[in-house]
Amino acid sequence: MGTARSRLLAAALDLFMRHGVSGTSLQMIADELGVTKAAVYHQFHSKEDIVEAVIAPALAELEAVADAAEAQRRRNDRLRVALEGVVDLVVRHRGLFAMIMTDPQVGRLVRSRPPLRGLEERIEAVLTGPEPDAETLVNSAMVSGALMVAGLDPRLAGLDDETLRRHLTATVFRMLHVRRRATS
Amino acid sequence: MGTARSRLLAAALDLFMRHGVSGTSLQMIADELGVTKAAVYHQFHSKEDIVEAVIAPALAELEAVADAAEAQRRRNDRLRVALEGVVDLVVRHRGLFAMIMTDPQVGRLVRSRPPLRGLEERIEAVLTGPEPDAETLVNSAMVSGALMVAGLDPRLAGLDDETLRRHLTATVFRMLHVRRRATS
DNA sequence: GTCTATAGGGCGATAGAC
DNA sequence: GTCTATCGCCCTATAGAC
């Protein structure tokens, strides 16, 4: 079963994805675990703390992806590393990124925390490059949305990680005109 | 300024997109208009009524797009008509479709209303065709997400309708391997 | 169409016993 | 770690005057 804390986070994530963050009350989380609200407050001091703990691991991984992408010398390699990294995260965490991107409350929280602030911008900068034209701007926005929804759509829930990863990668590369192989 | 009703709907849409539906209270809507909550309840009997009225026009247009697409004989034409129609809707309504697709509360509402129920499925069926393989399933899900976020992203807010429409169309066609011209 | 006033309930959060 | 009990707030919604 894991620790009380990890069971709480798992239940919270499930409810957040099904009802949204502001649509999920602490009472719902407590009911899901079969305990009272006060027991929830023993683990986390506020609802915001819960949201933060739920998204923290994925954001840390996203930061590592940004680091790895920015370290590449060639633009095509930066794109390739960023896209492969983000696809991998989306596949492994499925709905979590959809929750982060679509829920306005989560968005505010992410943007208010200094270490995370700018992470979005770093990824976007890798995808678009400096001074992007309209087409590049539109396409990179579309990639975000396309990946986000891929982790959410119930029709894709039955696909295994490897199949989903392969098709996602192929299509985002096609969207942004990225060459498939690393530059030798 | 328009009627009280239309001003209310405009204010509600703006707040729904900024804070989400469950993150928006009737008090916030009333404040935005400079009136009291009771004045809001004079126009609509419940919050759900407001949500329904906000999304109704766009959903009616979406239904017309589904009709037009299903009337095409060839698969490529069905795809082309559906995608061009949806792109047009997304461009003209911008954030509205993002709100419909991402907010769990709105999703429940849409799926609970019989005339609208199945509309999602009709559009999806046109995009995927019968018994789609994994790649087709993934790609059509990605198209939904890509279009959704395009209406939401603040970076694209400055683009005029025609520019946005052109790039969105080009990229979704590329995602789904659709030929650009109508079948003669 | 808009107001004041209020009902009734769920919310996040706290205190203190076990 | 979990409980009972409670606080104060804000929510949706209603009633009735102007």
Side-chain angles (χ1 to χ4, degrees):
Chain A
M1 289 286 271
T3 66
R5 187 188 159 95
S6 68
R7 278 184 299 128
L8 197 159
L9 287 178
L13 172 57
D14 180 56
L15 288 166
F16 287 163
M17 294 197 302
R18 291 215 310 267
H19 305 282
V21 170
S22 40
T24 301
S25 69
L26 297 185
Q27 187 65 67
M28 290 163 73
I29 297 174
D31 289 348
E32 188 85 0
L33 297 168
V35 299
T36 63
K37 276 193 293 180
V40 171
Y41 272 102
H42 178 74
Q43 309 280 348
F44 298 94
H45 295 142
S46 71
K47 186 178 180 180
E48 198 168 278
D49 278 0
I50 300 178
V51 175
E52 213 169 342
V54 164
I55 66 180
L59 289 182
E61 290 188 66
L62 186 60
E63 195 158 21
V65 170
D67 291 341
E70 287 167 352
Q72 303 299 314
R73 289 217 187 123
R74 300 168 201 265
R75 168 155 169 72
N76 193 74
D77 291 343
R78 283 196 297 276
L79 272 170
R80 194 178 42 77
V81 169
L83 290 173
E84 285 174 350
V86 173
V87 165
D88 182 58
L89 281 178
V90 166
V91 169
R92 284 188 294 106
H93 294 287
R94 300 277 169 132
L96 181 56
F97 277 93
M99 187 196 101
I100 296 174
M101 285 184 59
T102 61
D103 197 295
Q105 305 232 113
V106 179
R108 270 182 197 74
L109 179 64
V110 169
R111 275 178 277 280
S112 72
R113 290 286 182 281
L116 305 173
R117 204 174 174 173
L119 185 50
E120 261 182 335
E121 284 84 348
R122 284 175 64 196
I123 299 283
E124 280 293 319
V126 169
L127 294 187
T128 61
E131 301 182 27
D133 56 18
E135 183 191 355
T136 307
L137 224 46
V138 172
N139 284 345
S140 74
M142 289 175 83
V143 164
S144 314
L147 289 179
M148 186 199 73
V149 92
L152 200 66
D153 197 307
R155 291 160 173 255
L156 307 183
L159 297 180
D160 65 282
D161 285 6
E162 197 40 46
T163 302
L164 182 57
R165 188 189 336 261
R166 193 171 66 248
H167 294 308
L168 287 178
T169 306
T171 301
V172 293
F173 277 25
R174 184 153 26 102
M175 290 172 79
L176 294 182
H177 308 287
V178 178
R179 290 187 303 280
R180 229 161 264 115
R181 306 288 299 176
T183 311
S184 59
Chain B
M1 289 287 272
T3 65
R5 187 188 157 95
S6 68
R7 278 184 301 128
L8 196 159
L9 287 177
L13 173 58
D14 181 54
L15 288 166
F16 286 162
M17 293 196 302
R18 290 214 310 266
H19 306 282
V21 170
S22 41
T24 301
S25 69
L26 297 185
Q27 185 66 70
M28 290 163 75
I29 297 174
D31 288 349
E32 190 85 359
L33 297 168
V35 299
T36 64
K37 280 189 288 180
V40 171
Y41 272 102
H42 179 73
Q43 309 279 348
F44 298 95
H45 295 143
S46 72
K47 186 178 179 179
E48 199 168 278
D49 279 0
I50 299 178
V51 175
E52 212 169 343
V54 164
I55 67 180
L59 289 181
E61 289 188 66
L62 186 60
E63 195 158 19
V65 169
D67 291 339
E70 287 167 353
Q72 302 300 313
R73 290 219 186 124
R74 300 168 199 265
R75 167 153 171 71
N76 193 74
D77 290 344
R78 282 195 298 275
L79 272 170
R80 195 178 42 78
V81 169
L83 289 174
E84 285 174 347
V86 174
V87 165
D88 181 60
L89 281 178
V90 167
V91 169
R92 283 189 293 107
H93 295 287
R94 299 278 171 134
L96 180 56
F97 276 92
M99 188 195 102
I100 295 174
M101 284 186 60
T102 61
D103 197 297
Q105 305 232 114
V106 178
R108 269 180 198 75
L109 179 64
V110 169
R111 274 179 277 281
S112 72
R113 291 286 182 281
L116 305 173
R117 202 175 175 171
L119 184 51
E120 262 182 333
E121 284 84 348
R122 285 175 64 195
I123 299 283
E124 279 294 318
V126 168
L127 293 186
T128 61
E131 301 183 26
D133 57 17
E135 185 191 354
T136 307
L137 225 46
V138 171
N139 284 345
S140 74
M142 290 175 83
V143 164
S144 314
L147 290 180
M148 184 200 72
V149 91
L152 199 65
D153 197 309
R155 291 161 173 253
L156 308 183
L159 297 180
D160 64 282
D161 285 5
E162 196 40 47
T163 303
L164 182 56
R165 188 191 336 262
R166 192 171 70 246
H167 294 308
L168 288 178
T169 307
T171 301
V172 294
F173 277 26
R174 184 152 26 102
M175 290 171 80
L176 294 181
H177 307 288
V178 178
R179 290 186 302 280
R180 231 160 261 114
R181 307 286 300 175
T183 311
S184 58

